[in-house]
Amino acid sequence: MLERLKDTPPDALLALIAQFASDEREDKIDLGVGVYRTDDGATPVFGAIKAAEQRLWEEQDSKSYLGPEGDRGFVHALMPIIFGSDATMGGRIEGVQTPGGTGAVRLAVALAERAGVNRVFVGTPSWPNHIPIIEDVGLEAVTFSHSNEDGSADADALIEIVRQGREGDAVLIHACCHNPSGIDYTDEQWDAIADALANSPVLPIIDSAYQGLGTGLEEDSAGLRKVLAKVPDALIAYSCDKNFGLYRDRVGAMYAKVADPAQMGAAMSNAAALARANWSMPPDHGGAAVRIVLRDEDLRQQWLEELDGMRKRLRWVRATLAGADNKVDGVPLAHLEEQNGLFAMLPLNKDQIARLREDHAVYMAGSGRINIAGLTKGNIDKFIAALADVAA
Ligand code: LMR
């Protein structure tokens, strides 16, 4: 039976991790998979998380099962951060813990499918795992353009596809720090998107994986909140992997907003049943650490300061690249300063990307995406020179 299986290529982004590790050149630069790095190139555990883990180690007296919804304290502690002070919107928002943001997207798409969705609109380019998840759930992914040539977000394309949408359609929207382009909708565009969705049967599925890494913790949720204020139903996939630095601990949550609190029981029981069939229950450790951080005033403050530091560093990298615009012919860099988060797309062809890797030990995704957090005071000049070389 199993001989019927055909080889399938490894995920190109994850394959870069191994390729980079086996390169022996000392000055190699990793701009591949999306992890934050300090100016020393490290991805340390947050101090606030370390302290919470210590407390967890001291206080946790059982590792017995919790249930498919995971740690409710974690799920609820996050809600004011994501949704603001009216975090449940009068009992109309509730959620479950998931294994990372990927688990949250998976659960949201599967729940949408149970509710009758059969097509999901996706602005492209998008995170390379979005369409595989949609298709693996058995839904059709219909693409539209996320951005314009000039580096602005193409809200008109989203609004147009929403206008054409019908019952049984959903649209996947990035809340902030668009992956892979870094191009986010402006406030005015979010208003127009929220209005379009308010007058449409299309279900919004909002993926928020980078809150706090764009322009600010509140600012990065503003668009999501504008949509939720106007639409009856929505699903939100949330990741703590980046903003709490918990990548491998797989920490996320999936929230549903329903039109009437009376519908919440059905939404959550279906989410729990899908979680049970997929992974039974989410890993506990990272979510418990986040709960401890968010419930303790000092640790919460420490976390906010650490997150501020990350965001400032990302803005420094963006400003430095933008300042080098005149040093690199053919690869515009000035607009990177207006974009947000970990990623940017560079208009490089396959040959230029291969030369960056082979001649300069610079590793980036084949799509032209760079993880800007891989750039530091120590390597950014080398990167700009390498870019100028391959672009010449
Ligand atoms: C990325 O896009 O690099 C991250 O979201 C990591 C991943 O799982 O792909």
Short mmCIF file of all heavy atoms in Angstrom, two decimals, residues 11 13-14 32-35 102 127-129 179 209-210 242 250 343 369, ligand 1:
data_model
loop_
_atom_site.label_atom_id
_atom_site.label_comp_id
_atom_site.label_asym_id
_atom_site.label_seq_id
_atom_site.Cartn_x
_atom_site.Cartn_y
_atom_site.Cartn_z
N ASP A 11 9.37 21.11 2.73
CA ASP A 11 8.99 22.52 2.77
C ASP A 11 10.26 23.35 2.52
O ASP A 11 11.25 23.24 3.26
CB ASP A 11 8.39 22.85 4.15
CG ASP A 11 7.94 24.29 4.23
OD1 ASP A 11 8.81 25.19 4.34
OD2 ASP A 11 6.72 24.52 4.18
N LEU A 13 11.09 26.40 2.87
CA LEU A 13 11.52 27.35 3.91
C LEU A 13 12.24 26.61 5.04
O LEU A 13 13.30 27.02 5.51
CB LEU A 13 10.26 28.06 4.44
CG LEU A 13 10.41 29.39 5.11
CD1 LEU A 13 11.20 30.36 4.25
CD2 LEU A 13 9.02 29.97 5.40
N LEU A 14 11.65 25.47 5.45
CA LEU A 14 12.25 24.72 6.56
C LEU A 14 13.54 24.03 6.10
O LEU A 14 14.47 23.85 6.89
CB LEU A 14 11.25 23.71 7.14
CG LEU A 14 9.95 24.34 7.68
CD1 LEU A 14 9.05 23.29 8.32
CD2 LEU A 14 10.23 25.45 8.71
N GLY A 32 16.43 33.40 6.28
CA GLY A 32 15.40 32.44 5.88
C GLY A 32 14.18 32.43 6.77
O GLY A 32 13.38 33.38 6.78
N VAL A 33 14.04 31.37 7.56
CA VAL A 33 12.80 31.19 8.32
C VAL A 33 12.59 32.32 9.31
O VAL A 33 13.53 32.94 9.80
CB VAL A 33 12.81 29.80 9.01
CG1 VAL A 33 13.71 29.77 10.22
CG2 VAL A 33 11.40 29.34 9.36
N GLY A 34 11.30 32.61 9.59
CA GLY A 34 10.95 33.79 10.37
C GLY A 34 11.12 33.63 11.86
O GLY A 34 10.17 33.35 12.57
N VAL A 35 12.33 33.82 12.34
CA VAL A 35 12.54 33.93 13.79
C VAL A 35 13.21 35.28 14.04
O VAL A 35 14.02 35.74 13.24
CB VAL A 35 13.42 32.80 14.37
CG1 VAL A 35 12.73 31.47 14.29
CG2 VAL A 35 14.78 32.75 13.71
N THR A 102 0.01 27.82 13.43
CA THR A 102 -0.38 26.88 12.37
C THR A 102 -1.61 26.08 12.81
O THR A 102 -2.56 25.91 12.05
CB THR A 102 0.79 25.92 12.05
OG1 THR A 102 1.95 26.69 11.79
CG2 THR A 102 0.46 25.05 10.86
N TRP A 127 1.76 33.56 3.30
CA TRP A 127 2.59 32.58 3.99
C TRP A 127 2.46 31.24 3.24
O TRP A 127 1.32 30.83 2.95
CB TRP A 127 2.09 32.46 5.44
CG TRP A 127 2.83 31.46 6.28
CD1 TRP A 127 4.17 31.32 6.39
CD2 TRP A 127 2.25 30.49 7.15
NE1 TRP A 127 4.47 30.31 7.27
CE2 TRP A 127 3.30 29.78 7.75
CE3 TRP A 127 0.93 30.14 7.47
CZ2 TRP A 127 3.10 28.75 8.65
CZ3 TRP A 127 0.72 29.12 8.37
CH2 TRP A 127 1.79 28.43 8.96
N PRO A 128 3.59 30.59 2.89
CA PRO A 128 3.50 29.41 2.02
C PRO A 128 2.68 28.25 2.59
O PRO A 128 2.35 27.33 1.87
CB PRO A 128 4.97 28.98 1.83
CG PRO A 128 5.80 30.08 2.33
CD PRO A 128 4.97 30.98 3.19
N ASN A 129 2.33 28.30 3.85
CA ASN A 129 1.54 27.20 4.44
C ASN A 129 0.03 27.48 4.40
O ASN A 129 -0.75 26.60 4.71
CB ASN A 129 2.00 26.99 5.89
CG ASN A 129 1.85 25.55 6.35
OD1 ASN A 129 1.60 24.65 5.54
ND2 ASN A 129 1.96 25.32 7.64
N ASN A 179 3.09 38.54 6.02
CA ASN A 179 4.10 37.55 5.69
C ASN A 179 3.74 36.98 4.32
O ASN A 179 2.70 36.34 4.19
CB ASN A 179 4.06 36.43 6.76
CG ASN A 179 5.07 35.33 6.50
OD1 ASN A 179 5.86 35.40 5.56
ND2 ASN A 179 5.04 34.30 7.34
N ALA A 209 -0.15 36.78 13.63
CA ALA A 209 1.00 35.99 14.09
C ALA A 209 2.15 36.86 14.57
O ALA A 209 3.17 36.34 15.02
CB ALA A 209 1.48 35.07 12.96
N TYR A 210 1.99 38.20 14.47
CA TYR A 210 3.14 39.07 14.76
C TYR A 210 2.75 40.30 15.56
O TYR A 210 3.39 41.35 15.44
CB TYR A 210 3.80 39.51 13.43
CG TYR A 210 4.32 38.34 12.63
CD1 TYR A 210 3.51 37.71 11.69
CD2 TYR A 210 5.58 37.83 12.85
CE1 TYR A 210 3.97 36.60 10.97
CE2 TYR A 210 6.06 36.74 12.14
CZ TYR A 210 5.23 36.13 11.21
OH TYR A 210 5.70 35.05 10.51
N LYS A 242 6.08 34.22 17.99
CA LYS A 242 7.04 35.30 17.76
C LYS A 242 7.03 36.32 18.89
O LYS A 242 8.08 36.70 19.39
CB LYS A 242 6.74 36.01 16.44
CG LYS A 242 7.34 35.35 15.23
CD LYS A 242 6.52 34.24 14.71
CE LYS A 242 7.13 33.63 13.45
NZ LYS A 242 6.27 32.55 12.93
N ARG A 250 5.20 25.87 20.50
CA ARG A 250 3.93 25.83 19.77
C ARG A 250 2.78 26.40 20.58
O ARG A 250 1.97 25.67 21.17
CB ARG A 250 3.59 24.39 19.30
CG ARG A 250 4.71 23.61 18.66
CD ARG A 250 5.35 24.29 17.48
NE ARG A 250 4.39 24.62 16.43
CZ ARG A 250 4.38 25.81 15.81
NH1 ARG A 250 5.24 26.76 16.13
NH2 ARG A 250 3.50 26.07 14.88
N PHE A 343 9.36 40.59 7.76
CA PHE A 343 9.65 40.21 6.38
C PHE A 343 9.58 41.34 5.38
O PHE A 343 8.87 42.32 5.56
CB PHE A 343 8.68 39.11 5.92
CG PHE A 343 8.67 37.92 6.84
CD1 PHE A 343 7.53 37.60 7.56
CD2 PHE A 343 9.81 37.15 7.01
CE1 PHE A 343 7.53 36.52 8.43
CE2 PHE A 343 9.81 36.07 7.88
CZ PHE A 343 8.67 35.76 8.59
N ARG A 369 11.84 36.50 -0.37
CA ARG A 369 11.54 37.02 0.97
C ARG A 369 12.80 37.02 1.82
O ARG A 369 13.55 36.05 1.81
CB ARG A 369 10.48 36.13 1.66
CG ARG A 369 10.01 36.72 2.97
CD ARG A 369 9.14 35.76 3.75
NE ARG A 369 9.94 34.83 4.54
CZ ARG A 369 9.43 34.03 5.48
NH1 ARG A 369 8.14 34.04 5.72
NH2 ARG A 369 10.21 33.21 6.16
C1 LMR B 1 7.88 31.82 8.54
O1 LMR B 1 7.07 32.18 7.67
O2 LMR B 1 9.10 31.82 8.34
C2 LMR B 1 7.37 31.41 9.89
O3 LMR B 1 6.01 31.64 9.99
C3 LMR B 1 7.76 30.03 10.22
C4 LMR B 1 6.96 28.98 9.52
O4 LMR B 1 6.40 28.12 10.21
O5 LMR B 1 6.88 29.00 8.29
#
